[in-house]
Structure formats: C-alpha cells, structure tokens
Amino acid sequence: MKQVKVVVTGATGQVAYALLPRIAAGEMFGPDTDVDLRLSDIPQMIDKAKGVVMELEDGAYPLLSRVSASAIRAETHGDADWVLLVGSVPRGPGMERGDLIRKNGPIFVDEGKHIADRAAKGVRVVVVGNPCNTNCLIARANAKSVPDDRWSAMTRLDQNRARSLLATRAGARVKDVKKLAIWGNHSATLYPDFTNATVNGKLATEDTDPAWLAWLEKDFIPAVQQRGAAVIAARGASSAFSAAQALIDHVRSLVTSTARDDWFSAAVVSDGSYGVPKGLVSSFPLRSKGDGGYEIVRDVKLDGFATEKLTASIAELEKERDLVKDLLA
C-alpha cells in the first residue's frame, strides 16, 4: 500500500466536513492508498476539530492510517504530500472583491511560507479558499522553493456546474458532456467554453437551432457565473458538498490519467499560453498522465467570442495581481 500525507485547512468548515470522510474512504486517492489526514485550523477552532477527528476515528475507515488536528503547522504541514487550502475568510456584508483579497492575503502569505519550510519536497498544493486564483498567486509567491507546476486552484466546481447545465438543456447525461473547459478567473468573469464542448461526441455548436445558440451565448454563461449566488439565495448558505465533490474531482483528475477524448479544468500558473501573461494563475483546459502533474492542452481553437471573454477575465486577474503587489514580494 502507498501512503499519502494530506493537510486540509479550514478543517471545521462546512466544505471540509463534507470532504474529510470522503478522503478517508479513499475517494480522492483511490483504494490502494493509505491516508495520513491532518486537520489544520485556527487555535480557537481546534477543540471543534478534535470532535471531527473523533468522528473520523468512529467511522473506522480501513484506509485512514492516521488522523490528527492542530493549529501548529509544524505538526500539520510536516512532510505533507498534498496541502488542500480550503479555509479562507468568507465575504461579509458590504465587502467588495478587493476587500476580500486584502483580508485573505496575509493568510495565504503565511501558508506559502509554511509549505515551503515544512512540506515534502514533492508537495502539491490546491487552493480552494476564495478568491482562489489570487490566493494561489499569493501563496506561490511566498513559497519560492516549490515549483510552479505544483500549484493549482479549483475551478472544477465551475466546470461541474457548466457540464450539468449544458447536459440538462441538451437532454443528455453529464457523462456525455466532454471538453467543457473553464478559462480565466474564478469570478463573475470566468468563461465556460461551450464552443469546444461536445455532447454525445458532437460539438455543442453543431446544433444550429437559433434558440439553442441564443441560449448558449446569452443564458448559459451567466447561469454558470451566477450559480453560486443562486445556491446561496435558495439554500441560505454557500455550496458545501458540491464544492467538496469538485475538490475530489480536481485531485482525482491529477492522480489518474485523462481520457483521450476529454480534458479537465483547473487554474494553474500560466506559461504564456493563449496570451495569458506568464505567472498569472488562470484556469485552462488540462490533461494529466496520472502522476499528480498536468499539462495545458495545446491548440484549442478560440474564436472571437471566446477570446473576448478570456481577455476580460485576464484583465481582472491582472488588476488583482496589482492589488496584492506588496504581498507578492
């Protein structure tokens, strides 16, 4: 049996509560991998985290080799193979996106430094806490010894939402929707690329019915962009188990080989592809060999409509980078 050491920050939050038992059950790393699970949270939440530890122990998960909780990163982050940065300060009433970035920035500066100092040499980091692209940019800049290709931020929930909405409208199953990538920032400017998506093996745009095409261009994109707000309006709380599902999918896509006829989405450090400035953390279509790494899919055709959407999202990312310039030093 292999073993993986996994840190989950914000371990007493709702997303973590939905996530942790599924990691322990082997859904993230597979049935042949034992898990040493470390719950990380702020000091005043550790008693609560220890209650979650007891629940995980009482679950009697065969693959859970060890479980612990601490606010001391020397204990949680030491030799970690994967660090899942789930925790962040949520947006409060009246807060703008810039306010949220300033509030969360110092948290991710600190996380980056501890990851560089304490995690395993081959550590991989996934940023979930929002705004995830910019939080990832901040943490990576403060962990200079950890290579760019070991960082990613989660746009998989956006991809899952887009696939589900498209499948429902097309009268298809979610499994029949492929190559539906998310581009750009995890924000209201993200671009769910229907122009390259396939439904039952055919391009979504092959159906030239005017009503269908109008829905794709005018209704589909804002429906994906605003889905999180719609969940909050209906449920009175933000997405929890769907976010946990997306994080499971995100990591599984990195540790299993990508099917030849598909790709997946995550925000990664740009190498300059598709005109995205080098160093920005942007969502791209990706493929993996199953070793935990990824490669950006090359030669995806972006028409004028798609390019315009991506350009707007990248402009927002550049503004956010400039906003946190001091934290990136």
Side-chain angles (χ1 to χ4, degrees):
M1 294 286 285
K2 298 177 290 184
Q3 185 182 74
V4 63
K5 299 172 182 176
V6 185
V7 180
V8 177
T9 70
T12 58
Q14 287 300 303
V15 174
Y17 194 70
L19 173 72
L20 291 166
R22 300 181 65 186
I23 297 176
E27 291 186 47
M28 183 173 279
F29 296 100
D32 60 347
T33 302
D34 284 335
V35 179
D36 175 349
L37 190 54
R38 292 98 173 271
L39 282 60
S40 176
D41 216 315
I42 55 179
Q44 55 266 42
M45 299 303 293
I46 293 305
D47 284 344
K48 184 176 180 180
K50 289 179 179 178
V52 179
V53 168
M54 286 189 279
E55 284 205 81
L56 288 165
E57 291 171 339
D58 293 348
Y61 298 98
L63 294 173
L64 190 60
S65 63
R66 180 176 179 270
V67 59
S68 58
S70 178
I72 302 171
R73 290 189 181 91
E75 297 176 5
T76 56
H77 290 43
D79 295 320
D81 301 304
W82 287 81
V83 179
L84 310 179
L85 298 177
V86 177
S88 64
V89 177
R91 182 180 294 190
M95 288 180 68
E96 299 293 336
R97 188 173 175 89
D99 299 326
L100 188 64
I101 291 171
R102 294 184 190 93
K103 192 78 172 179
N104 278 294
I107 296 172
F108 287 86
V109 168
D110 203 32
E111 285 289 356
K113 291 178 179 178
H114 282 286
I115 289 167
D117 290 344
R118 304 187 184 282
K121 184 177 181 181
V123 66
R124 296 191 183 278
V125 186
V126 182
V127 180
V128 179
N130 284 318
C132 63
N133 294 58
T134 299
N135 287 340
C136 183
L137 185 76
I138 293 167
R140 181 193 65 83
N142 286 276
K144 298 185 185 301
S145 62
V146 181
D148 287 351
D149 64 359
R150 297 187 176 276
W151 297 84
S152 60
M154 193 179 82
T155 57
R156 187 55 171 267
L157 180 52
D158 304 306
Q159 179 186 325
N160 287 354
R161 288 166 168 166
R163 290 178 66 210
S164 178
L165 288 166
L166 188 63
T168 299
R169 182 75 178 194
R173 298 278 300 276
V174 171
K175 67 179 182 178
D176 298 324
V177 178
K178 299 181 179 180
K179 294 184 177 179
L180 205 174
I182 302 297
W183 296 82
N185 199 5
H186 174 71
S187 72
T189 67
L190 67 85
Y191 173 55
D193 181 16
F194 62 83
T195 64
N196 288 288
T198 64
V199 181
N200 290 314
K202 297 182 179 180
L203 284 172
T205 52
E206 280 189 29
D207 183 345
T208 57
D209 176 64
W212 168 253
L213 295 177
W215 178 82
L216 286 174
E217 291 194 6
K218 297 179 181 179
D219 299 324
F220 170 66
I221 294 173
V224 178
Q225 294 170 336
Q226 298 166 16
R227 185 69 167 188
V231 170
I232 292 173
R235 199 174 84 88
S238 61
S239 305
F241 70 78
S242 58
Q245 176 65 51
L247 184 50
I248 294 285
D249 291 340
H250 177 113
V251 176
R252 286 295 294 167
S253 289
L254 291 170
V255 299
T256 57
S257 297
T258 308
R260 292 183 179 181
D261 61 346
D262 206 0
W263 52 56
F264 63 96
S265 302
V268 298
V269 182
S270 176
D271 60 2
S273 297
Y274 299 101
V276 180
K278 189 174 182 180
L280 283 185
V281 178
S282 172
S283 190
F284 293 96
L286 307 174
R287 295 180 58 83
S288 177
K289 297 178 181 178
D291 57 0
Y294 63 84
E295 59 182 13
I296 296 173
V297 178
R298 307 298 174 183
D299 301 321
V300 176
K301 294 181 180 179
L302 296 177
D303 61 16
F305 179 86
T307 300
E308 179 184 353
K309 297 296 184 182
L310 176 58
T311 299
S313 197
I314 295 312
E316 182 183 58
L317 280 173
E318 290 180 305
K319 288 180 181 178
E320 293 183 3
R321 176 197 59 196
D322 294 341
L323 181 65
V324 297
K325 191 175 296 183
D326 290 342
L327 295 174
L328 302 177

